[in-house]
Amino acid sequence: MAKKIAVMIADGCEEIEALTPVDVLRRLGQDVDMVGLKDLAVTGAHQIKLTCDKVLDDSLLDYDMVVLPGGYQGAQNLRNSDQLMALMQKRNQAGKWNAAMCAAPMAFARYGLLNDSDYTCYPEMEKEFASDVTNGRHHEDIVVVDSSKHIITSRGPATALAYAYKIAEVLGVDPAPQKEAMLYNFLATNI
């Protein structure tokens, strides 16, 4: 049975980070919704127009995974949403998986999700939200999974494929066929 994944999309999002998980997880046969923070129509950080499947509502609690892309403005918009914060805190309390990359861990920091957690983010970004995190442990790995907190984090645009594949793995979906088909394995050994 396919897993349900929501990718939160806000104005100013980093398009690569928003669309890569959608693309990879749909290729892997998963049920992925692009969820607009406020509207179905969103403009990314590089003026790419995105059309979401739905707008944020309480159904966010029903997803197996919620994914937050970065992009500084987009991450700020996600961070500043009290509605999203309340839903993400409920998801966290229920032990559901959540993921954020690049600048988006700033939202997790505000929500309290990074407390006592291992995480990563865009270089130096952790300094911006350090005062919002209690006993968090920042790492410089490409992707960091904190299984005890049900959180996945990643660094930035170039790590979007590794992030998407890790999301699949955590959800019990084997990404190996797509890693091969999308030439990820070739890239990993030749870069």
Side-chain angles (χ1 to χ4, degrees):
M1 183 175 193
K3 299 293 184 177
K4 287 183 62 179
I5 301 112
V7 178
M8 289 301 312
I9 312 286
D11 282 327
C13 69
E14 172 57 61
E15 295 93 342
I16 289 172
E17 296 168 7
L19 294 176
T20 300
V22 174
D23 180 281
V24 167
L25 293 162
R26 285 184 180 174
R27 286 177 194 239
L28 289 166
Q30 304 311 296
D31 182 8
V32 184
D33 286 329
M34 293 171 56
V35 180
L37 181 64
K38 295 181 179 179
D39 299 297
L40 290 176
V42 176
T43 302
H46 303 97
Q47 303 311 304
I48 298 172
K49 306 286 186 202
L50 304 172
T51 303
C52 296
D53 301 302
K54 61 189 289 188
V55 176
L56 178 64
D57 63 22
D58 288 352
S59 69
L60 198 69
L61 298 172
D62 302 330
Y63 288 88
D64 297 299
M65 175 83 67
V66 172
V67 178
L68 275 59
Y72 192 75
Q73 180 192 357
Q76 286 181 314
N77 288 332
L78 296 173
R79 177 195 65 197
N80 295 338
S81 170
D82 291 337
Q83 179 187 14
L84 180 59
M85 178 172 69
L87 292 168
M88 294 300 283
Q89 288 171 337
K90 286 180 184 176
R91 288 183 53 77
N92 183 256
Q93 290 163 0
K96 296 201 169 205
W97 280 96
N98 300 299
M101 73 176 302
C102 193
M106 76 165 64
F108 280 11
R110 176 178 180 239
Y111 307 162
L113 275 59
L114 295 183
N115 294 341
D116 303 307
S117 180
D118 291 299
Y119 69 93
T120 193
C121 59
Y122 192 79
E124 304 293 316
M125 181 62 61
E126 73 279 6
K127 294 175 183 174
E128 183 170 322
F129 57 75
S131 63
D132 293 330
V133 179
T134 303
N135 297 322
R137 295 165 301 279
H138 177 262
H139 302 273
E140 293 187 358
D141 300 18
I142 292 171
V143 179
V144 173
V145 177
D146 189 318
S147 296
S148 68
K149 303 298 263 180
H150 296 100
I151 290 176
I152 304 169
T153 50
S154 189
R155 304 287 312 260
T159 68
L161 280 171
Y163 176 63
Y165 294 135
K166 185 57 73 177
I167 290 168
E169 287 173 11
V170 164
L171 291 173
V173 178
D174 180 11
Q178 283 307 317
K179 283 183 172 182
E180 189 63 30
M182 295 176 77
L183 299 180
Y184 181 79
N185 295 333
F186 175 79
L187 176 68
T189 58
N190 289 286
I191 197 163

